[in-house]
Amino acid sequence: MSTTSGSGDACDMPVSGSPTVAETKSSQGSSSNPSLVSSVNGVPIALDLENVSLVGRDDEIKILVQAYERIRKRNAPAEICLVRGESGSGKSVLVENLRRVEKKGREFFVMGKYNQYDQDRPYGGFVEATAELSFSVSEIDDAVKHVVNESLTSEEIQLLLSIMPSINLFLPLTLTNEPLETNEQSFNRFMEVYRKFLRCICSEEHPLVLFLDDLQWVDDVSRQLIDSIAKDSKMRNFLLIGAVRQDPSVSGVYDLTSESVLYSSEIVVGALSKQHVNIIVSRATLRPPSETENLSAVIYHKTGGNPYFAIQYLDMLLREELLSFSFSSNRWEWDVASINSLTNVSDNVMQILVRKIESLKMDVQVALIVAAYLGFSFSIDVVERILESTDFLKSIPNFLKDKFWPLPMSKRDTHKAMAEASRSGLVDVLPEKKFKFSHDRVQQSVLSTLHEYEERQCVQTALGTILLGMSQREDSEDWMLFAAVDLLLDSNKAPAVDIEFSKTCLQAANMASNKAAFRSAAKYADAGISRLDLDDMDEERYDLWLELSNLSAEMHFSRGDFVDSNRLVGSILQRSRTVDDCYRANRVSMNTYTSLEDWGAAVECGICVLNDLGVPTLRNPSKLNILATLMKSKWLLKGRKPRDLEDLLPMDNPRMAEALFFLGSTAFCSWMKGDENRCTFLCLKMFILTIEYGICTDSPYAFAAYGMCMSHIGEYTLAYEYGRLAIKTLERPGTEKAIAKTMVVVHSYLNYLRKPIQESLKPFLYGYTSGMRHGDVVQAGYCLRARACIGVVAGVRLTEHERELLGFREFYKEFKQQATMAMQAPWLQLTQNLLGKAENVLVLTGDAMDEEETLNQLKPSATTRFDRNPSLAFRFYNVHYAKRTLLYTFGEFEMADDNRKQTARLGGETATLHSKLYDFVFCCLICLAMARKGKRVRYHKQQANVYHKELMVRAEHGCVNCVPLLSLISAEKRALKDKSGDAALYRQAIAMLGRSGFRLFKAIACERAGEYMLECNVTQGSHEYLQQAWNEFNDYGALAKLRQMQEKYHGIYTFSECFRLESRSSGKLKAHNLEKWNQDVR
């Protein structure tokens, strides 16, 4: 929704009301706004601007109010509104009017503004808005505080405090000194927690309006946080308003609605019409509109209808005495001819403001200059501390002493100066001893009063120096350090070589990295490196250079700048003095290759690093090498069982701990490259290293990988025990970062060998949350993918499963996990097909994926490259696995059999996955169904026996999931050769599947039993089993399957008597009413 207006309100600056002529006469001694005041014999006569700020904005106000009223409703979805317009068109005052007009007492309306001079300050607008929100929350009852405290974990609160410290106003915890992860994953985790924080606060009782102004100056991390909020479909009772300048001077204007999944509206704030300019002049001069047309026509022509420029033009007319109050006629008067001779104010608004500022007392000017360098909004306490400091005065060079002669200024003098600036309309008063400039043009004009470049450089250096000293105090705020370093860098006065300034840059870089402000952190780190003499480094300078270089490489990598990160890694590897000094740089290099999916380069990097670490590995290990390494691992165990390894001592060799990380990463990349031998060899080396040196962060992953190796050679019991050992080891301190990847291996490959598959659902979610908490977003995504795959067969109701998978999809999009999202897509589409949300229920095409398009993308590589690309093979297999599950469920056995044959050549690529177990079941059932239909009976019985044998091997080794599934296969085998109508094995299978939670397989067993009874002409028995199948599919939520059953068995039964669709939301629905039923399905 968009509206383009030819009118506008007064200005971005909310103008406080001035006394009318009558009021001025009755209070001649009172102060008024000197910027819009004329005087006669010292008696101030003010223009009345109280009611002009929203002239001509009725349509725009209506759009904002309607959006606000919508989000106030119960459980109302969040919305976004973008306000565009030129500088001075009145965007800010339009939005701030919503606060004044619609405030009912328990709403939260908070604002943050971005600044042209602070574009590298991370989260600038969000920090301001969150501080205001925290203050508002702390002032109301404890209900909201309780919700926030109950919903957020202590770790999540710590993460919020590290970036938004103002929330400690109502949260009980204080920030710890523990270092935080400083990578892209930690930033993604912060975005998730911040959204959760907002969701805790928003409610019908406390709707939240978040206004972010001047988004054309938004910093990178704020932009990503806004996009994250805009994609959060869970937000309720929340309105995000963004104002952005639309000037020719501003390039690449940010559109916060471009990636939004929320309802979005847009307001384009245009210039005022002649009529509206005339209304402003009429109200300001208290003269009828007919008498002000000549003046307003001139103002309109000179200002182009820009409200802020019109106000400044009136101010100029007052100061030039071209607009004055006549006591003889008791009204305002002007000379249009003289006014016409002036130039257009739109070309000279900065000059007008500069002249206005320079007309003020010198102490006011000095206070404004200091404030302008602090930011658009500023604390009066900080301004006071700077102006009363003798150190600041000493930092001012002699040639500027005349301009800064009021220094030092007392607190009283500073307060008087800011009060004068406020009366002049240059600054506005905010709560908690804060001020803001009334418009960003005012801030720019204040800085322009320093006319010479040298003057500005000297003042920046003096302010940067004093702020740097203040930033080292315990009561300092984070922005002080950023501002100090920025001022010193911009001033070009910092020494070319200065170790102390390099240390300061490192401090700023670390602080920025903790806030996930990667661009700023990289800038500060690079600045610190440039202040070091790399050709003459003692131990102290070398250590400082190494820390700065590592941090800069990590920050450039985190923001996707692989060119600079590789350049820095190369410099580190070239100049480093020991192998240990290369650890962090090598990790950056490894992560870069992995991000680019250059598996070969990643493997080569890992091998080289391992050799440097003293853990040489073969480049092309043979099966004989693998066997020898396996035998070495057995020899090192010396008969010890997995449970005997629980008490291994902690690893005290940091080099071996680093080697364990690179072994795991290289093993993963080897598998992705298609080198199974090297992957297995490296997994065994991980285990040997842990046995020899003890437990470290990656040891649980090493145990899980060793268990996977055991499953490859058929030692399923031992494999399961090592999976249990891996989980047990995660309880030890220092292993938290390995939780996500360990959960993926244990619950995808090992746990199903002994435990019901349903028990893996929660651990996968735990792995996801832990991975997000510790920055391992890739493994967190794998946890969600595995949960999506098993949810279909593990008994999760389809409606709940779809809701969960849709949430997963938003996660994949946000964190750019496209490959993992592609792996989940078939299961989401399968779920939606069963729910009846696809045009053709037999084709995996809909909102989640397009089956034909996906298979065409995989097909060129599918026939020739699967042996070298198991990841591609698994994607291909994954689509077909979901497809044949769908086809078998709907009784399309011939199509399912054709599908089975397409993936038969893939062999064992995914044989250790738990999903393969259920695919074996479906493939076996497909072959038996084809044999029952008389289709190549001998061939299909042979194929069924192959799959049956695979399942029996697992069952013999204690796989509890196999037993109920094998009971269904036994019943199908019995039905193939016995036509007596004895359904005892089916009854047994149905009971066992029900107890095990296999809801889909139980429903299938009921239908197959009913069809078997039909084949044997046992009508009553078939009726009972089909009715039970109906009930099971109904409880499962498979509406499309219910429709198919009605059509399939329509000629046999009167379905209106036998079958009903049990709808949890609308009671019972007769199945024979196909038209209404089809509507429900859609």
Side-chain angles (χ1 to χ4, degrees):
M1 178 173 58
S2 175
T3 175
T4 303
S5 173
S7 60
D9 59 337
C11 58
D12 281 352
M13 173 187 69
V15 182
S16 57
S18 302
T20 62
V21 175
E23 291 170 338
T24 303
K25 286 182 176 181
S26 63
S27 56
Q28 293 181 4
S30 64
S31 63
S32 59
N33 190 337
S35 65
L36 295 177
V37 169
S38 178
S39 63
V40 177
N41 298 324
V43 178
I45 307 297
L47 289 173
D48 185 4
L49 296 172
E50 185 174 3
N51 299 310
V52 301
S53 60
L54 294 170
V55 168
R57 290 295 181 231
D58 293 344
D59 292 341
E60 292 86 342
I61 292 172
K62 183 178 179 182
I63 293 174
L64 277 178
V65 171
Q66 287 176 343
Y68 178 70
E69 290 300 328
R70 286 194 298 270
I71 64 107
R72 284 175 54 86
K73 297 177 181 178
R74 182 178 180 83
N75 203 35
E79 295 191 18
I80 291 180
C81 183
L82 178 64
V83 183
R84 297 180 183 270
E86 294 184 353
S87 175
S89 60
K91 304 179 293 295
S92 302
V93 73
L94 174 68
V95 179
E96 289 181 352
N97 174 69
L98 186 66
R99 184 207 301 255
R100 296 191 293 270
V101 174
E102 295 298 323
K103 190 71 174 174
K104 303 292 192 299
R106 299 189 68 81
E107 304 87 349
F108 296 129
F109 188 110
V110 296
M111 172 185 174
K113 185 177 177 71
Y114 291 92
N115 188 3
Q116 180 180 2
Y117 302 104
D118 293 311
Q119 294 184 57
D120 285 327
R121 188 176 298 178
Y123 305 103
F126 276 104
V127 170
E128 291 181 17
T130 305
E132 186 177 352
L133 178 61
S134 300
F135 178 77
S136 301
V137 171
S138 66
E139 292 293 304
I140 65 172
D141 58 69
D142 294 332
V144 175
K145 305 175 200 174
H146 179 74
V147 171
V148 174
N149 283 310
E150 288 295 315
S151 302
L152 300 178
T153 66
S154 59
E155 293 167 321
E156 291 172 335
I157 293 174
Q158 287 293 333
L159 182 58
L160 282 176
L161 282 170
S162 68
I163 297 178
M164 304 290 179
S166 60
I167 66 171
N168 64 5
L169 288 173
F170 66 92
L171 290 176
L173 294 180
T174 57
L175 183 62
T176 65
N177 293 322
E178 295 181 6
L180 297 172
E181 293 289 331
T182 56
N183 51 30
E184 185 177 359
Q185 287 75 26
S186 64
F187 172 50
N188 293 336
R189 174 63 176 160
F190 167 72
M191 291 195 296
E192 181 185 34
V193 173
Y194 189 79
R195 295 198 313 270
K196 185 178 179 181
F197 167 70
L198 292 181
R199 291 197 299 266
C200 292
I201 292 176
C202 301
S203 66
E204 180 184 5
E205 185 179 6
H206 298 290
L208 171 60
V209 178
L210 174 58
F211 174 38
L212 298 175
D213 199 5
D214 277 336
L215 286 175
Q216 70 275 5
W217 311 126
V218 66
D219 58 273
D220 286 350
V221 287
S222 291
R223 184 189 298 246
Q224 294 180 62
L225 183 54
I226 292 170
D227 288 341
S228 173
I229 294 172
K231 294 175 183 177
D232 190 348
S233 57
K234 298 178 183 178
M235 295 288 288
R236 294 291 184 270
N237 304 109
F238 174 74
L239 176 60
L240 174 61
I241 304 175
V244 63
R245 182 184 299 179
Q246 202 164 12
D247 282 355
S249 60
V250 179
S251 61
V253 174
Y254 173 51
D255 182 0
L256 76 167
T257 66
S258 59
E259 300 292 330
S260 174
V261 301
L262 308 179
Y263 178 79
S264 304
S265 55
E266 182 174 341
I267 299 173
V268 180
V269 183
L272 291 167
S273 66
K274 281 185 179 180
Q275 292 77 13
H276 290 129
V277 171
N278 191 36
I279 292 174
I280 288 179
V281 176
S282 172
R283 291 181 181 178
T285 60
L286 298 177
R287 291 183 62 171
S290 59
E291 297 180 5
T292 58
E293 286 181 348
N294 58 349
L295 176 58
S296 62
V298 174
I299 294 176
Y300 178 80
H301 175 71
K302 299 291 186 179
T303 65
N306 185 290
Y308 184 71
F309 294 168
I311 296 296
Q312 298 306 314
Y313 197 84
L314 285 170
D315 175 55
M316 181 178 65
L317 295 179
L318 281 169
R319 286 187 288 102
E320 298 291 335
E321 298 184 355
L322 296 173
L323 176 63
S324 59
F325 186 79
S326 171
F327 276 100
S328 60
S329 61
N330 198 33
R331 64 179 185 176
W332 291 95
E333 294 182 347
W334 51 85
D335 182 359
V336 172
S338 300
I339 292 172
N340 262 323
S341 65
L342 296 176
T343 59
N344 293 338
V345 69
S346 58
D347 298 329
N348 295 278
V349 64
M350 293 284 288
Q351 297 177 18
I352 294 171
L353 286 169
V354 168
R355 289 200 299 271
K356 175 179 178 178
I357 294 165
E358 289 180 335
S359 68
L360 299 173
K361 296 178 181 179
M362 189 57 68
D363 59 345
V364 180
Q365 293 185 49
V366 171
L368 287 174
I369 288 172
V370 171
Y373 276 115
L374 296 181
F376 181 80
S377 61
F378 52 91
S379 168
I380 187 64
D381 289 339
V382 178
V383 177
E384 288 172 354
R385 287 162 59 183
I386 293 174
L387 293 178
E388 69 179 357
S389 169
T390 56
D391 292 336
F392 180 54
L393 176 60
K394 293 176 182 177
S395 302
I396 300 295
N398 291 330
F399 74 92
L400 276 176
K401 290 289 176 64
D402 290 342
K403 190 175 185 68
F404 285 81
W405 65 263
L407 295 177
M409 291 171 58
S410 66
K411 291 184 179 180
R412 178 180 177 84
D413 290 339
T414 302
H415 271 279
K416 289 174 63 177
M418 296 311 300
E420 182 70 14
S422 177
R423 287 192 296 271
S424 300
L426 299 173
V427 298
D428 296 329
V429 182
L430 299 176
E432 299 183 297
K433 295 184 180 182
K434 290 187 177 181
F435 288 79
K436 70 172 183 176
F437 286 97
S438 56
H439 197 275
D440 51 11
R441 291 296 183 99
V442 176
Q443 184 188 15
Q444 296 172 33
S445 300
V446 169
L447 296 175
S448 296
T449 60
L450 295 170
H451 300 287
E452 300 297 330
Y453 174 77
E454 187 66 20
E455 291 181 352
R456 293 193 292 273
Q457 294 289 295
C458 291
V459 172
Q460 284 181 225
T461 303
L463 274 174
T465 303
I466 194 71
L467 274 176
L468 185 58
M470 295 171 62
S471 69
Q472 306 306 311
R473 295 172 51 172
E474 290 186 2
D475 60 346
S476 67
E477 300 177 42
D478 291 350
W479 68 266
M480 293 179 178
L481 179 61
F482 295 139
V485 176
D486 287 337
L487 286 168
L488 292 172
L489 289 175
D490 292 342
S491 70
N492 295 322
K493 293 290 184 179
V497 178
D498 185 357
I499 186 173
E500 294 303 322
F501 187 67
S502 292
K503 292 178 180 178
T504 300
C505 288
L506 177 60
Q507 184 184 358
N510 279 321
M511 185 179 293
S513 69
N514 285 336
K515 296 178 181 295
F518 306 128
R519 185 179 70 174
S520 299
K523 183 187 79 170
Y524 297 139
D526 290 342
I529 295 171
S530 68
R531 261 64 178 189
L532 292 173
D533 183 359
L534 302 186
D535 295 326
D536 183 21
M537 290 192 292
D538 57 17
E539 195 66 28
E540 181 184 12
R541 285 176 172 79
Y542 172 79
D543 291 341
L544 180 58
W545 165 82
L546 184 62
E547 183 64 26
L548 284 165
S549 298
N550 277 318
L551 183 58
S552 180
E554 291 165 352
M555 294 302 99
H556 282 295
F557 167 79
S558 294
R559 61 189 299 262
D561 185 358
F562 298 143
V563 174
D564 278 337
S565 68
N566 285 336
R567 172 181 58 79
L568 287 156
V569 166
S571 175
I572 294 169
L573 297 180
Q574 181 182 2
R575 294 177 178 272
S576 59
R577 296 176 178 176
T578 67
V579 172
D580 295 347
D581 293 343
C582 300
Y583 287 170
R584 289 171 64 182
N586 284 324
R587 287 199 180 207
V588 172
S589 186
M590 191 78 171
N591 290 334
T592 301
Y593 291 132
T594 303
S595 298
L596 296 173
E597 296 188 357
D598 190 347
W599 308 118
V603 170
E604 285 300 314
C605 174
I607 292 174
C608 292
V609 173
L610 288 168
N611 287 333
D612 291 340
L613 290 170
V615 185
T617 178
L618 299 175
R619 288 189 174 274
N620 298 295
S622 65
K623 291 186 177 179
L624 185 61
N625 297 134
I626 294 174
L627 179 60
T629 309
L630 176 62
M631 295 305 296
K632 180 179 179 180
S633 70
K634 297 285 189 180
W635 178 80
L636 285 172
L637 286 172
K638 297 177 180 178
R640 287 178 291 179
K641 302 295 184 183
R643 62 177 177 272
D644 300 325
L645 304 179
E646 294 178 5
D647 297 327
L648 283 177
L649 295 175
M651 186 180 294
D652 58 1
N653 188 326
R655 182 171 289 193
M656 291 302 104
E658 195 72 14
L660 205 62
F661 167 81
F662 278 98
L663 282 169
S665 298
T666 309
F668 170 76
C669 294
S670 298
W671 183 86
M672 297 299 292
K673 185 174 178 286
D675 192 342
E676 292 185 12
N677 282 353
R678 180 184 283 123
C679 177
T680 305
F681 180 75
L682 294 176
C683 287
L684 292 172
K685 291 280 286 186
M686 288 178 67
F687 179 75
I688 290 173
L689 223 61
T690 297
I691 297 299
E692 290 180 330
Y693 291 94
I695 301 296
C696 67
T697 300
D698 289 289
S699 293
Y701 187 55
F703 289 142
Y706 190 72
M708 195 168 66
C709 293
M710 294 300 101
S711 72
H712 270 296
I713 61 177
E715 295 190 22
Y716 297 114
T717 300
L718 202 57
Y720 171 77
E721 291 177 357
Y722 275 107
R724 291 294 89 199
L725 173 63
I727 297 298
K728 183 71 174 178
T729 309
L730 286 173
E731 299 174 4
R732 297 179 65 158
T735 60
E736 296 82 5
K737 293 181 181 180
I739 290 177
K741 57 186 177 183
T742 303
M743 288 296 172
V744 170
V745 175
V746 170
H747 289 279
S748 293
Y749 293 82
L750 308 175
N751 198 63
Y752 80 99
L753 295 169
R754 286 291 186 277
K755 297 293 183 181
I757 195 62
Q758 290 79 6
E759 292 188 11
S760 292
L761 292 173
K762 287 185 178 180
F764 279 132
L765 278 185
Y766 173 54
Y768 156 72
T769 56
S770 178
M772 292 302 298
R773 184 179 304 118
H774 296 99
D776 195 353
V777 68
V778 174
Q779 297 296 336
Y782 288 158
C783 285
L784 294 187
R785 185 195 72 186
R787 182 178 167 91
C789 180
I790 67 172
V792 173
V793 297
V796 180
R797 278 186 56 84
L798 290 176
T799 50
E800 299 171 7
H801 195 53
E802 182 197 29
R803 189 182 309 116
E804 191 174 63
L805 296 189
L806 289 173
F808 294 170
R809 185 167 67 169
E810 292 305 314
F811 159 82
Y812 298 136
K813 288 179 181 178
E814 179 174 340
F815 299 113
K816 302 178 181 63
Q817 298 294 303
Q818 301 302 324
T820 312
M821 183 170 70
M823 293 298 299
Q824 179 200 268
W827 301 102
L828 174 57
Q829 193 58 56
L830 169 62
T831 302
Q832 293 180 335
N833 279 35
L834 290 171
L835 286 168
K837 295 184 177 181
E839 291 186 12
N840 186 343
V841 295
L842 299 179
V843 179
L844 292 173
T845 297
D847 293 338
M849 68 172 287
D850 185 312
E851 178 184 316
E852 183 178 3
E853 180 181 339
T854 301
L855 291 177
N856 283 338
Q857 291 174 354
L858 298 172
K859 197 171 184 179
S861 299
T863 57
T864 58
R865 304 297 295 177
F866 281 169
D867 58 328
R868 298 186 182 179
N869 195 334
S871 177
L872 185 65
F874 188 42
R875 278 195 62 191
F876 183 82
Y877 160 78
N878 194 52
V879 174
H880 282 287
Y881 171 28
K883 174 76 171 181
R884 57 179 162 266
T885 301
L886 179 70
L887 293 173
Y888 182 83
T889 302
F890 280 93
E892 299 293 340
F893 304 127
E894 292 186 27
M895 294 173 63
D897 192 48
D898 290 339
N899 181 280
R900 176 188 64 83
K901 295 173 184 176
Q902 291 185 54
T903 55
R905 66 180 179 279
L906 292 184
E909 274 87 350
T910 55
T912 54
L913 279 173
H914 60 74
S915 57
K916 192 70 173 180
L917 169 70
Y918 303 105
D919 193 29
F920 283 156
V921 175
F922 276 113
C923 287
C924 186
L925 292 174
I926 290 168
C927 291
L928 291 173
M930 291 294 290
R932 273 178 61 177
K933 293 184 69 174
K935 304 289 185 179
R936 299 181 64 189
V937 177
R938 183 177 179 181
Y939 164 76
H940 284 108
K941 288 174 68 174
Q942 289 176 343
Q943 291 296 306
N945 288 334
V946 172
Y947 295 116
H948 192 195
K949 182 179 179 181
E950 290 280 354
L951 294 169
M952 286 298 296
V953 170
R954 287 165 171 76
E956 289 169 0
H957 286 83
C959 180
V960 297
N961 295 283
C962 288
V963 178
L965 299 171
L966 284 170
S967 67
L968 174 57
I969 292 173
S970 298
E972 284 286 275
K973 281 191 168 186
R974 172 76 176 272
L976 181 60
K977 59 184 178 180
D978 184 359
K979 301 299 181 181
S980 65
D982 183 2
L985 290 182
Y986 277 113
R987 287 195 298 273
Q988 178 182 346
I990 292 168
M992 294 178 68
L993 290 167
R995 288 194 299 268
S996 301
F998 290 119
R999 184 174 282 162
L1000 175 60
F1001 283 112
K1002 181 182 179 183
I1004 289 172
C1006 292
E1007 185 179 14
R1008 294 296 289 162
E1011 291 183 344
Y1012 168 68
M1013 300 295 278
L1014 283 176
E1015 293 172 7
C1016 298
N1017 296 318
V1018 184
T1019 305
Q1020 183 59 35
S1022 66
H1023 169 89
E1024 294 174 358
Y1025 282 115
L1026 291 175
Q1027 176 67 60
Q1028 188 177 357
W1030 175 281
N1031 294 337
E1032 292 295 336
F1033 280 119
N1034 182 37
D1035 187 53
Y1036 186 45
L1039 301 184
K1041 177 61 181 178
L1042 296 182
R1043 179 170 59 179
Q1044 188 249 5
M1045 287 183 69
Q1046 283 199 335
E1047 295 171 353
K1048 184 176 182 179
Y1049 304 113
H1050 180 67
I1052 302 174
Y1053 299 109
T1054 305
F1055 297 109
S1056 59
E1057 296 178 0
C1058 297
F1059 304 105
R1060 282 177 171 78
L1061 174 64
E1062 301 293 340
S1063 174
R1064 292 177 182 262
S1065 59
S1066 57
K1068 294 182 178 180
L1069 175 67
K1070 290 184 178 181
H1072 72 281
N1073 189 347
L1074 293 179
E1075 181 179 356
K1076 186 175 188 304
W1077 189 80
N1078 286 333
Q1079 292 175 358
D1080 284 354
V1081 169
R1082 292 300 175 202

